[in-house]
Amino acid sequence: MSETALDAAFFVRWMTAVAAAVDREADHLTELDSAIGDADHGSNLKRGFTAVRTALEKEPPATPGAVLVTAGKTLVSTVGGASGPLFGTLLRRTGKTLGDAERVGLGELRDGLRAGVDAVGQLGSSAPGDKTMLDALDPAVTALADGFAAAAEAAGAGSRATVPLQARKGRASYLGERSIGHEDPGAASSALLFAALAEVAR
Amino acid sequence: MTGRRAVAGTVGIVLVSHSGPVAESVAALALGLAGGAQAPVAAAGGTPDGGLGTSAELIAEAARSVDGGAGVALLVDLGSAVLTVKAMVAEGDELPESARLVDAPFLEGAVAAVVTASTGADLTAVATAAGEAYGYRKE
């Protein structure tokens, strides 16, 4: 695994796989969001990742970093809800951290994603345990040391573990204890990101 | 997005709300209360198709339209409006170099910012005046 070298085409496949997963799961994400949010997470992310797919097809960037910066920038400008700047910052900061390298290894990707996840925490002033996307992202990046499948599994488990939590950030936090018992939509979509990564790496 | 065009040497104000009508109305209110004010103000509310939400494109366009070289103060309402502007300031290249997110209550801060900017004050003074609106108790 330490010898894995990932090129720009791999990152385009990853983003395309995320777009497909978001398409497939949009209704489910919106259903989760209707319980504790404003019922637009699925449609917002679908619009965003459809635009990402179009942008990458139109002008495929030359490096892994540029793929993620383009994807992040596109999400910030097209989503329209809070998930736009959050996912956008995750991908853009990860991409910037990867720099201009034509190929990146697993360790570099992990460092890049760690910087991206930290930027998300800073943007939302949140930490794991607040019932947000960080509850899936944080364990996933840690588990990436053991490979893509382990990261996907950790993201899914992290997302399911948001069910008993009370939301401390975002619109769901207005619900107080009534946010308990529902899976966080942002954690669920973050898990899709890592499921897609494992899928394209297989 | 409507508003007054950039004025050289005057801080520009951008009002970012989830709702187009809210942003437009707060801009009109702030300009009205500021009297004969000349500070450029632009509203960037809702999504380009008129829905509720936040549009990075409308925000960038609004910021450019009021940038007279003295800085641009962005005031925001909630949630994605806050996060979008924060992300644009931290990561992006869509905003003028001097654009700054101002931590202030949306409506009261907008009035204070427009009045202050209209006196020719600099960006720091405008941001301070808007932020001080948090301290105005109503009871």
PDB file of all heavy atoms in Angstrom, chain B residues 46-80:
ATOM      1  N   GLY B  46     -30.035  35.154  -1.344  1.00  0.00           N
ATOM      2  CA  GLY B  46     -30.654  34.004  -1.995  1.00  0.00           C
ATOM      3  C   GLY B  46     -29.798  33.412  -3.098  1.00  0.00           C
ATOM      4  O   GLY B  46     -28.607  33.709  -3.239  1.00  0.00           O
ATOM      5  N   THR B  47     -30.419  32.538  -3.877  1.00  0.00           N
ATOM      6  CA  THR B  47     -29.723  31.869  -4.978  1.00  0.00           C
ATOM      7  C   THR B  47     -30.035  32.600  -6.289  1.00  0.00           C
ATOM      8  O   THR B  47     -30.993  33.379  -6.347  1.00  0.00           O
ATOM      9  CB  THR B  47     -30.190  30.398  -5.081  1.00  0.00           C
ATOM     10  OG1 THR B  47     -31.613  30.379  -5.225  1.00  0.00           O
ATOM     11  CG2 THR B  47     -29.824  29.628  -3.821  1.00  0.00           C
ATOM     12  N   PRO B  48     -29.239  32.370  -7.340  1.00  0.00           N
ATOM     13  CA  PRO B  48     -29.462  33.100  -8.596  1.00  0.00           C
ATOM     14  C   PRO B  48     -30.869  32.888  -9.165  1.00  0.00           C
ATOM     15  O   PRO B  48     -31.400  33.764  -9.856  1.00  0.00           O
ATOM     16  CB  PRO B  48     -28.400  32.516  -9.539  1.00  0.00           C
ATOM     17  CG  PRO B  48     -27.313  32.044  -8.634  1.00  0.00           C
ATOM     18  CD  PRO B  48     -28.011  31.545  -7.391  1.00  0.00           C
ATOM     19  N   ASP B  49     -31.511  31.744  -8.854  1.00  0.00           N
ATOM     20  CA  ASP B  49     -32.864  31.520  -9.390  1.00  0.00           C
ATOM     21  C   ASP B  49     -33.956  32.076  -8.463  1.00  0.00           C
ATOM     22  O   ASP B  49     -35.131  31.796  -8.639  1.00  0.00           O
ATOM     23  CB  ASP B  49     -33.087  30.026  -9.675  1.00  0.00           C
ATOM     24  CG  ASP B  49     -32.920  29.170  -8.432  1.00  0.00           C
ATOM     25  OD1 ASP B  49     -32.705  29.734  -7.335  1.00  0.00           O
ATOM     26  OD2 ASP B  49     -33.020  27.929  -8.542  1.00  0.00           O
ATOM     27  N   GLY B  50     -33.533  32.844  -7.454  1.00  0.00           N
ATOM     28  CA  GLY B  50     -34.527  33.495  -6.603  1.00  0.00           C
ATOM     29  C   GLY B  50     -34.935  32.698  -5.372  1.00  0.00           C
ATOM     30  O   GLY B  50     -35.811  33.123  -4.623  1.00  0.00           O
ATOM     31  N   GLY B  51     -34.324  31.529  -5.175  1.00  0.00           N
ATOM     32  CA  GLY B  51     -34.670  30.704  -4.011  1.00  0.00           C
ATOM     33  C   GLY B  51     -33.921  31.131  -2.762  1.00  0.00           C
ATOM     34  O   GLY B  51     -33.121  32.069  -2.785  1.00  0.00           O
ATOM     35  N   LEU B  52     -34.197  30.433  -1.665  1.00  0.00           N
ATOM     36  CA  LEU B  52     -33.493  30.688  -0.417  1.00  0.00           C
ATOM     37  C   LEU B  52     -32.159  29.945  -0.439  1.00  0.00           C
ATOM     38  O   LEU B  52     -32.095  28.800  -0.872  1.00  0.00           O
ATOM     39  CB  LEU B  52     -34.312  30.179   0.779  1.00  0.00           C
ATOM     40  CG  LEU B  52     -35.652  30.864   1.062  1.00  0.00           C
ATOM     41  CD1 LEU B  52     -36.312  30.226   2.276  1.00  0.00           C
ATOM     42  CD2 LEU B  52     -35.476  32.357   1.275  1.00  0.00           C
ATOM     43  N   GLY B  53     -31.110  30.613   0.033  1.00  0.00           N
ATOM     44  CA  GLY B  53     -29.795  29.963   0.061  1.00  0.00           C
ATOM     45  C   GLY B  53     -28.711  30.998  -0.105  1.00  0.00           C
ATOM     46  O   GLY B  53     -28.950  32.195   0.075  1.00  0.00           O
ATOM     47  N   THR B  54     -27.523  30.526  -0.435  1.00  0.00           N
ATOM     48  CA  THR B  54     -26.388  31.430  -0.553  1.00  0.00           C
ATOM     49  C   THR B  54     -25.676  31.168  -1.865  1.00  0.00           C
ATOM     50  O   THR B  54     -25.455  30.019  -2.224  1.00  0.00           O
ATOM     51  CB  THR B  54     -25.407  31.194   0.615  1.00  0.00           C
ATOM     52  OG1 THR B  54     -26.133  31.243   1.835  1.00  0.00           O
ATOM     53  CG2 THR B  54     -24.333  32.269   0.636  1.00  0.00           C
ATOM     54  N   SER B  55     -25.326  32.220  -2.571  1.00  0.00           N
ATOM     55  CA  SER B  55     -24.650  32.065  -3.855  1.00  0.00           C
ATOM     56  C   SER B  55     -23.300  32.754  -3.845  1.00  0.00           C
ATOM     57  O   SER B  55     -23.216  33.982  -3.724  1.00  0.00           O
ATOM     58  CB  SER B  55     -25.520  32.656  -4.973  1.00  0.00           C
ATOM     59  OG  SER B  55     -24.716  32.936  -6.104  1.00  0.00           O
ATOM     60  N   ALA B  56     -22.253  31.964  -3.979  1.00  0.00           N
ATOM     61  CA  ALA B  56     -20.899  32.527  -4.020  1.00  0.00           C
ATOM     62  C   ALA B  56     -20.758  33.476  -5.211  1.00  0.00           C
ATOM     63  O   ALA B  56     -20.056  34.485  -5.131  1.00  0.00           O
ATOM     64  CB  ALA B  56     -19.869  31.409  -4.111  1.00  0.00           C
ATOM     65  N   GLU B  57     -21.444  33.141  -6.312  1.00  0.00           N
ATOM     66  CA  GLU B  57     -21.325  34.003  -7.493  1.00  0.00           C
ATOM     67  C   GLU B  57     -21.938  35.369  -7.261  1.00  0.00           C
ATOM     68  O   GLU B  57     -21.351  36.397  -7.605  1.00  0.00           O
ATOM     69  CB  GLU B  57     -21.981  33.332  -8.706  1.00  0.00           C
ATOM     70  CG  GLU B  57     -21.024  32.388  -9.408  1.00  0.00           C
ATOM     71  CD  GLU B  57     -21.746  31.378 -10.281  1.00  0.00           C
ATOM     72  OE1 GLU B  57     -22.661  31.800 -11.006  1.00  0.00           O
ATOM     73  OE2 GLU B  57     -21.404  30.190 -10.219  1.00  0.00           O
ATOM     74  N   LEU B  58     -23.143  35.396  -6.658  1.00  0.00           N
ATOM     75  CA  LEU B  58     -23.780  36.682  -6.366  1.00  0.00           C
ATOM     76  C   LEU B  58     -22.934  37.491  -5.386  1.00  0.00           C
ATOM     77  O   LEU B  58     -22.816  38.713  -5.500  1.00  0.00           O
ATOM     78  CB  LEU B  58     -25.183  36.475  -5.785  1.00  0.00           C
ATOM     79  CG  LEU B  58     -26.262  35.939  -6.727  1.00  0.00           C
ATOM     80  CD1 LEU B  58     -27.605  35.848  -5.996  1.00  0.00           C
ATOM     81  CD2 LEU B  58     -26.405  36.814  -7.968  1.00  0.00           C
ATOM     82  N   ILE B  59     -22.321  36.804  -4.422  1.00  0.00           N
ATOM     83  CA  ILE B  59     -21.496  37.493  -3.424  1.00  0.00           C
ATOM     84  C   ILE B  59     -20.264  38.113  -4.092  1.00  0.00           C
ATOM     85  O   ILE B  59     -19.929  39.281  -3.862  1.00  0.00           O
ATOM     86  CB  ILE B  59     -21.062  36.520  -2.309  1.00  0.00           C
ATOM     87  CG1 ILE B  59     -22.287  36.037  -1.516  1.00  0.00           C
ATOM     88  CG2 ILE B  59     -20.054  37.180  -1.365  1.00  0.00           C
ATOM     89  CD1 ILE B  59     -22.007  34.838  -0.615  1.00  0.00           C
ATOM     90  N   ALA B  60     -19.606  37.336  -4.943  1.00  0.00           N
ATOM     91  CA  ALA B  60     -18.399  37.823  -5.614  1.00  0.00           C
ATOM     92  C   ALA B  60     -18.728  39.017  -6.510  1.00  0.00           C
ATOM     93  O   ALA B  60     -18.006  40.025  -6.537  1.00  0.00           O
ATOM     94  CB  ALA B  60     -17.763  36.697  -6.423  1.00  0.00           C
ATOM     95  N   GLU B  61     -19.858  38.896  -7.217  1.00  0.00           N
ATOM     96  CA  GLU B  61     -20.294  39.969  -8.120  1.00  0.00           C
ATOM     97  C   GLU B  61     -20.596  41.243  -7.324  1.00  0.00           C
ATOM     98  O   GLU B  61     -20.185  42.348  -7.698  1.00  0.00           O
ATOM     99  CB  GLU B  61     -21.555  39.470  -8.835  1.00  0.00           C
ATOM    100  CG  GLU B  61     -21.980  40.250 -10.046  1.00  0.00           C
ATOM    101  CD  GLU B  61     -23.309  39.695 -10.566  1.00  0.00           C
ATOM    102  OE1 GLU B  61     -23.481  38.445 -10.575  1.00  0.00           O
ATOM    103  OE2 GLU B  61     -24.161  40.514 -10.917  1.00  0.00           O
ATOM    104  N   ALA B  62     -21.290  41.077  -6.198  1.00  0.00           N
ATOM    105  CA  ALA B  62     -21.644  42.216  -5.349  1.00  0.00           C
ATOM    106  C   ALA B  62     -20.383  42.879  -4.801  1.00  0.00           C
ATOM    107  O   ALA B  62     -20.261  44.108  -4.796  1.00  0.00           O
ATOM    108  CB  ALA B  62     -22.546  41.762  -4.208  1.00  0.00           C
ATOM    109  N   ALA B  63     -19.422  42.059  -4.356  1.00  0.00           N
ATOM    110  CA  ALA B  63     -18.199  42.610  -3.762  1.00  0.00           C
ATOM    111  C   ALA B  63     -17.415  43.410  -4.805  1.00  0.00           C
ATOM    112  O   ALA B  63     -16.905  44.494  -4.516  1.00  0.00           O
ATOM    113  CB  ALA B  63     -17.347  41.483  -3.184  1.00  0.00           C
ATOM    114  N   ARG B  64     -17.345  42.876  -6.018  1.00  0.00           N
ATOM    115  CA  ARG B  64     -16.623  43.596  -7.071  1.00  0.00           C
ATOM    116  C   ARG B  64     -17.308  44.924  -7.395  1.00  0.00           C
ATOM    117  O   ARG B  64     -16.656  45.935  -7.626  1.00  0.00           O
ATOM    118  CB  ARG B  64     -16.542  42.740  -8.347  1.00  0.00           C
ATOM    119  CG  ARG B  64     -15.412  41.727  -8.323  1.00  0.00           C
ATOM    120  CD  ARG B  64     -15.164  41.151  -9.719  1.00  0.00           C
ATOM    121  NE  ARG B  64     -16.353  40.479 -10.256  1.00  0.00           N
ATOM    122  CZ  ARG B  64     -16.623  39.189 -10.060  1.00  0.00           C
ATOM    123  NH1 ARG B  64     -15.807  38.438  -9.347  1.00  0.00           N
ATOM    124  NH2 ARG B  64     -17.703  38.656 -10.581  1.00  0.00           N
ATOM    125  N   SER B  65     -18.649  44.908  -7.354  1.00  0.00           N
ATOM    126  CA  SER B  65     -19.388  46.108  -7.767  1.00  0.00           C
ATOM    127  C   SER B  65     -19.216  47.270  -6.787  1.00  0.00           C
ATOM    128  O   SER B  65     -19.379  48.420  -7.166  1.00  0.00           O
ATOM    129  CB  SER B  65     -20.868  45.786  -7.951  1.00  0.00           C
ATOM    130  OG  SER B  65     -21.534  45.723  -6.698  1.00  0.00           O
ATOM    131  N   VAL B  66     -18.900  46.977  -5.520  1.00  0.00           N
ATOM    132  CA  VAL B  66     -18.784  48.073  -4.541  1.00  0.00           C
ATOM    133  C   VAL B  66     -17.330  48.358  -4.144  1.00  0.00           C
ATOM    134  O   VAL B  66     -17.068  49.163  -3.266  1.00  0.00           O
ATOM    135  CB  VAL B  66     -19.610  47.789  -3.258  1.00  0.00           C
ATOM    136  CG1 VAL B  66     -21.097  47.672  -3.598  1.00  0.00           C
ATOM    137  CG2 VAL B  66     -19.116  46.537  -2.537  1.00  0.00           C
ATOM    138  N   ASP B  67     -16.399  47.650  -4.793  1.00  0.00           N
ATOM    139  CA  ASP B  67     -14.983  47.802  -4.416  1.00  0.00           C
ATOM    140  C   ASP B  67     -14.398  49.074  -5.027  1.00  0.00           C
ATOM    141  O   ASP B  67     -14.118  49.128  -6.223  1.00  0.00           O
ATOM    142  CB  ASP B  67     -14.210  46.559  -4.896  1.00  0.00           C
ATOM    143  CG  ASP B  67     -12.733  46.632  -4.523  1.00  0.00           C
ATOM    144  OD1 ASP B  67     -12.386  47.460  -3.651  1.00  0.00           O
ATOM    145  OD2 ASP B  67     -11.940  45.861  -5.088  1.00  0.00           O
ATOM    146  N   GLY B  68     -14.211  50.088  -4.175  1.00  0.00           N
ATOM    147  CA  GLY B  68     -13.631  51.347  -4.656  1.00  0.00           C
ATOM    148  C   GLY B  68     -12.186  51.510  -4.222  1.00  0.00           C
ATOM    149  O   GLY B  68     -11.652  52.605  -4.211  1.00  0.00           O
ATOM    150  N   GLY B  69     -11.572  50.386  -3.812  1.00  0.00           N
ATOM    151  CA  GLY B  69     -10.157  50.423  -3.443  1.00  0.00           C
ATOM    152  C   GLY B  69      -9.900  50.657  -1.969  1.00  0.00           C
ATOM    153  O   GLY B  69      -8.755  50.592  -1.514  1.00  0.00           O
ATOM    154  N   ALA B  70     -10.966  50.907  -1.189  1.00  0.00           N
ATOM    155  CA  ALA B  70     -10.766  51.177   0.242  1.00  0.00           C
ATOM    156  C   ALA B  70     -11.180  49.972   1.102  1.00  0.00           C
ATOM    157  O   ALA B  70     -11.184  50.055   2.320  1.00  0.00           O
ATOM    158  CB  ALA B  70     -11.566  52.403   0.651  1.00  0.00           C
ATOM    159  N   GLY B  71     -11.527  48.887   0.454  1.00  0.00           N
ATOM    160  CA  GLY B  71     -11.938  47.701   1.193  1.00  0.00           C
ATOM    161  C   GLY B  71     -13.418  47.425   1.050  1.00  0.00           C
ATOM    162  O   GLY B  71     -14.199  48.316   0.675  1.00  0.00           O
ATOM    163  N   VAL B  72     -13.777  46.160   1.297  1.00  0.00           N
ATOM    164  CA  VAL B  72     -15.179  45.745   1.206  1.00  0.00           C
ATOM    165  C   VAL B  72     -15.541  45.014   2.486  1.00  0.00           C
ATOM    166  O   VAL B  72     -14.847  44.085   2.903  1.00  0.00           O
ATOM    167  CB  VAL B  72     -15.401  44.805  -0.007  1.00  0.00           C
ATOM    168  CG1 VAL B  72     -16.832  44.283  -0.027  1.00  0.00           C
ATOM    169  CG2 VAL B  72     -15.073  45.524  -1.308  1.00  0.00           C
ATOM    170  N   ALA B  73     -16.626  45.465   3.144  1.00  0.00           N
ATOM    171  CA  ALA B  73     -17.103  44.811   4.360  1.00  0.00           C
ATOM    172  C   ALA B  73     -18.299  43.931   4.010  1.00  0.00           C
ATOM    173  O   ALA B  73     -19.258  44.400   3.398  1.00  0.00           O
ATOM    174  CB  ALA B  73     -17.517  45.866   5.379  1.00  0.00           C
ATOM    175  N   LEU B  74     -18.213  42.636   4.358  1.00  0.00           N
ATOM    176  CA  LEU B  74     -19.322  41.725   4.090  1.00  0.00           C
ATOM    177  C   LEU B  74     -20.053  41.421   5.384  1.00  0.00           C
ATOM    178  O   LEU B  74     -19.444  40.970   6.357  1.00  0.00           O
ATOM    179  CB  LEU B  74     -18.808  40.425   3.467  1.00  0.00           C
ATOM    180  CG  LEU B  74     -18.173  40.574   2.076  1.00  0.00           C
ATOM    181  CD1 LEU B  74     -16.692  40.275   2.139  1.00  0.00           C
ATOM    182  CD2 LEU B  74     -18.849  39.650   1.082  1.00  0.00           C
ATOM    183  N   LEU B  75     -21.358  41.691   5.403  1.00  0.00           N
ATOM    184  CA  LEU B  75     -22.186  41.348   6.561  1.00  0.00           C
ATOM    185  C   LEU B  75     -23.113  40.204   6.162  1.00  0.00           C
ATOM    186  O   LEU B  75     -23.641  40.192   5.050  1.00  0.00           O
ATOM    187  CB  LEU B  75     -23.004  42.557   7.019  1.00  0.00           C
ATOM    188  CG  LEU B  75     -22.194  43.579   7.831  1.00  0.00           C
ATOM    189  CD1 LEU B  75     -21.521  44.575   6.926  1.00  0.00           C
ATOM    190  CD2 LEU B  75     -23.082  44.281   8.854  1.00  0.00           C
ATOM    191  N   VAL B  76     -23.290  39.248   7.068  1.00  0.00           N
ATOM    192  CA  VAL B  76     -23.991  38.011   6.711  1.00  0.00           C
ATOM    193  C   VAL B  76     -25.085  37.701   7.723  1.00  0.00           C
ATOM    194  O   VAL B  76     -25.037  38.179   8.853  1.00  0.00           O
ATOM    195  CB  VAL B  76     -22.995  36.835   6.649  1.00  0.00           C
ATOM    196  CG1 VAL B  76     -21.914  37.099   5.623  1.00  0.00           C
ATOM    197  CG2 VAL B  76     -22.337  36.596   8.012  1.00  0.00           C
ATOM    198  N   ASP B  77     -26.089  36.892   7.313  1.00  0.00           N
ATOM    199  CA  ASP B  77     -27.099  36.538   8.314  1.00  0.00           C
ATOM    200  C   ASP B  77     -26.785  35.201   9.007  1.00  0.00           C
ATOM    201  O   ASP B  77     -26.214  35.221  10.090  1.00  0.00           O
ATOM    202  CB  ASP B  77     -28.540  36.674   7.792  1.00  0.00           C
ATOM    203  CG  ASP B  77     -28.933  35.769   6.642  1.00  0.00           C
ATOM    204  OD1 ASP B  77     -28.091  35.001   6.151  1.00  0.00           O
ATOM    205  OD2 ASP B  77     -30.111  35.822   6.224  1.00  0.00           O
ATOM    206  N   LEU B  78     -27.108  34.060   8.413  1.00  0.00           N
ATOM    207  CA  LEU B  78     -27.040  32.785   9.146  1.00  0.00           C
ATOM    208  C   LEU B  78     -26.347  31.679   8.365  1.00  0.00           C
ATOM    209  O   LEU B  78     -26.241  31.757   7.148  1.00  0.00           O
ATOM    210  CB  LEU B  78     -28.462  32.241   9.361  1.00  0.00           C
ATOM    211  CG  LEU B  78     -29.524  33.046  10.071  1.00  0.00           C
ATOM    212  CD1 LEU B  78     -30.884  32.467   9.699  1.00  0.00           C
ATOM    213  CD2 LEU B  78     -29.301  32.953  11.566  1.00  0.00           C
ATOM    214  N   GLY B  79     -25.963  30.639   9.079  1.00  0.00           N
ATOM    215  CA  GLY B  79     -25.613  29.335   8.485  1.00  0.00           C
ATOM    216  C   GLY B  79     -24.758  29.409   7.238  1.00  0.00           C
ATOM    217  O   GLY B  79     -23.594  29.815   7.281  1.00  0.00           O
ATOM    218  N   SER B  80     -25.350  29.021   6.098  1.00  0.00           N
ATOM    219  CA  SER B  80     -24.543  28.919   4.882  1.00  0.00           C
ATOM    220  C   SER B  80     -24.037  30.281   4.413  1.00  0.00           C
ATOM    221  O   SER B  80     -23.016  30.354   3.738  1.00  0.00           O
ATOM    222  CB  SER B  80     -25.328  28.231   3.765  1.00  0.00           C
ATOM    223  OG  SER B  80     -26.461  28.984   3.413  1.00  0.00           O
TER     224      SER B  80
END
